[in-house]
Amino acid sequence: MDWISWPQVIDDLASTRRGAATFLEDFDAPYSAACHSEWVVKWTKIGEAHDLVGDANLEKGRIGDAEKAWLCALTAFEVARRMACADAIESEKATAKIEATVRKFGSLDQKIECVPVKCDDQSEMLTYYLSAAGASKAPAVICISTEEEAATTLLGRLLPVAVARGISVLVVAHEDIDSNDHSDMALSCCLDYLSGRSDVDAGRIGVYGDGLSAAVATQFAFSDRRVAAAVCDGGLWDFARMLASTQWLTGTADAPDEKVVSARRSRMIEQFKCPVLVVASSRGTASLSEASKLLSHASAAPIDLQLVMPQTITSRFGEIEDFVTFDERIFGWLEHKLLPNSAL
């Protein structure tokens, strides 16, 4: 793959994201530390170039152009962060650049609000709220970061894909949700907050659990019937734990009776009362094989359940996801389910 002639700055968010997606989809360089380090540097420089363009536009009073440049920078820095997955120091540097750019973007027009959400026990969670563009009563999505990722890291990744849509976003860290004894109660407090906002349609609030938080999103959709759409693991994490527990209690390594397993899958599916997008990913909790079985069962039930899986490249440093295309699919699905006049 020849990226030598690829420009440092493409003055268009859609083009920048297409370039990032193509890079991630076609990445075929040798899996060496030197290779990954080289691409971390190149994508960091691309992000820094966009960042400088944004700063220059801000000085000229061209706020819209500044925001677009910073969104391009966020996409590039996220690519660098993922390429640096095996280098903790480089990964932290990329994360810091993402957080710094998020702060720049949030300083304009109050687009991003830092919101402390109170729980029933009077504890607070610091969340980040992005209001929908040009909408007075818009749907909203509660987005939960994966383990060991800050809310600002997820926000930086989602800003370029969410900012132009008619959907508000409330981002919360997995750590803050998991620190509560009942994560579903904490998320219900987030939903309460959104429902009380004058710019949010309380009847169109969804949830999205990134990575390992997909299981948390499932439990929230089960426990709170106000959830209008869920991007989650479909209950497969708890389902797998239940099967493993059964095998341990019975003292046998034999696979459980398929009829019993099938019946339990059907009962699990019936718990959903809203449209569901099951995410099958190495970063999440649902394997593709189990998710496919769940989808097969759902086809015979009165439930709107779909399956999505990101394209990944496997290296000795782990798997690198095409997060750009993946996020577009997820928010395209959310838009379709929460906005009445949208189309996939």
Side-chain angles (χ1 to χ4, degrees):
M1 172 170 46
D2 183 10
W3 287 87
I4 296 176
S5 61
W6 200 68
Q8 291 292 299
V9 174
I10 299 175
D11 191 22
D12 176 71
L13 179 60
S15 297
T16 298
R17 290 182 68 79
R18 280 196 300 271
T22 300
F23 170 79
L24 293 168
E25 291 171 0
D26 297 342
F27 183 71
D28 57 4
Y31 299 140
S32 65
C35 167
H36 277 68
S37 178
E38 178 183 346
W39 286 117
V40 170
V41 171
K42 288 190 176 183
W43 278 99
T44 299
K45 287 182 177 179
I46 291 170
E48 290 171 343
H50 282 298
D51 214 24
L52 290 173
V53 169
D55 294 347
N57 282 325
L58 181 62
E59 290 180 3
K60 298 174 184 176
R62 295 160 54 182
I63 294 177
D65 291 337
E67 291 175 346
K68 291 176 184 177
W70 288 332
L71 292 174
C72 292
L74 287 172
T75 298
F77 288 145
E78 180 64 21
V79 175
R81 189 178 76 89
R82 289 173 182 251
M83 295 300 294
C85 59
D87 189 325
I89 295 177
E90 291 301 321
S91 181
E92 289 176 4
K93 288 180 181 178
T95 299
K97 290 182 180 295
I98 290 171
E99 293 177 350
T101 305
V102 167
R103 286 194 295 271
K104 290 181 182 181
F105 188 92
S107 67
L108 303 179
D109 300 333
Q110 295 183 333
K111 284 184 176 292
I112 300 173
E113 301 175 38
C114 293
V115 179
V117 174
K118 288 187 177 181
C119 297
D120 292 343
D121 60 0
Q122 298 306 308
S123 62
E124 287 187 346
M125 297 178 294
L126 182 61
T127 68
Y128 296 89
Y129 178 75
L130 172 70
S131 60
S136 58
K137 207 71 172 173
V141 179
I142 302 169
C143 301
I144 316 160
S145 73
T146 192
E147 287 184 330
E148 299 179 359
E149 283 190 359
T152 49
T153 304
L154 178 60
L155 178 61
R157 194 187 97 207
L158 296 184
L159 270 173
V161 71
V163 72
R165 299 181 188 269
I167 300 176
S168 297
V169 170
L170 185 75
V171 181
V172 59
H174 175 97
E175 181 182 18
D176 291 337
I177 295 296
D178 196 46
S179 65
N180 289 271
D181 293 333
H182 302 287
S183 60
D184 51 352
M185 184 179 297
L187 289 170
S188 287
C189 293
C190 292
L191 198 151
D192 290 341
Y193 165 76
L194 290 173
S195 298
R197 289 189 63 109
S198 61
D199 59 346
V200 171
D201 184 340
R204 293 185 291 161
I205 299 177
V207 62
Y208 164 35
D210 185 44
L212 296 175
S213 291
V216 176
T218 296
Q219 290 305 313
F220 179 46
F222 285 164
S223 67
D224 198 319
R225 298 308 188 193
R226 295 175 296 172
V227 176
V231 181
C232 59
D233 78 335
L236 292 176
W237 172 245
D238 285 339
F239 185 68
R241 289 199 304 174
M242 180 272 295
L243 291 180
S245 178
T246 300
Q247 290 177 321
W248 182 79
L249 288 172
T250 58
T252 176
D254 296 336
D257 184 88
E258 184 55 36
K259 289 184 179 180
V260 174
V261 173
S262 179
R264 287 177 175 172
R265 275 199 198 96
S266 297
R267 286 196 296 272
M268 181 172 64
I269 290 171
E270 290 170 359
Q271 294 184 68
F272 284 109
K273 303 302 179 184
C274 67
V276 179
L277 182 65
V278 176
V279 177
S281 166
S282 61
R283 295 174 64 245
T285 57
S287 68
L288 180 59
S289 60
E290 285 302 317
S292 297
K293 292 177 183 177
L294 189 71
L295 182 63
S296 177
H297 276 72
S299 64
I303 181 175
D304 182 354
L305 188 147
Q306 298 178 43
L307 173 64
V308 64
M309 184 175 183
Q311 179 173 332
T312 60
I313 299 297
T314 303
S315 77
R316 66 187 182 91
F317 298 102
E319 292 190 337
I320 301 173
E321 289 181 355
D322 172 14
F323 69 92
V324 178
T325 304
F326 189 49
D327 290 343
E328 290 288 345
R329 288 176 181 171
I330 286 175
F331 271 82
W333 181 87
L334 286 166
E335 193 173 32
H336 178 66
K337 298 304 176 183
L338 297 176
L339 289 171
N341 298 321
S342 66
L344 285 175

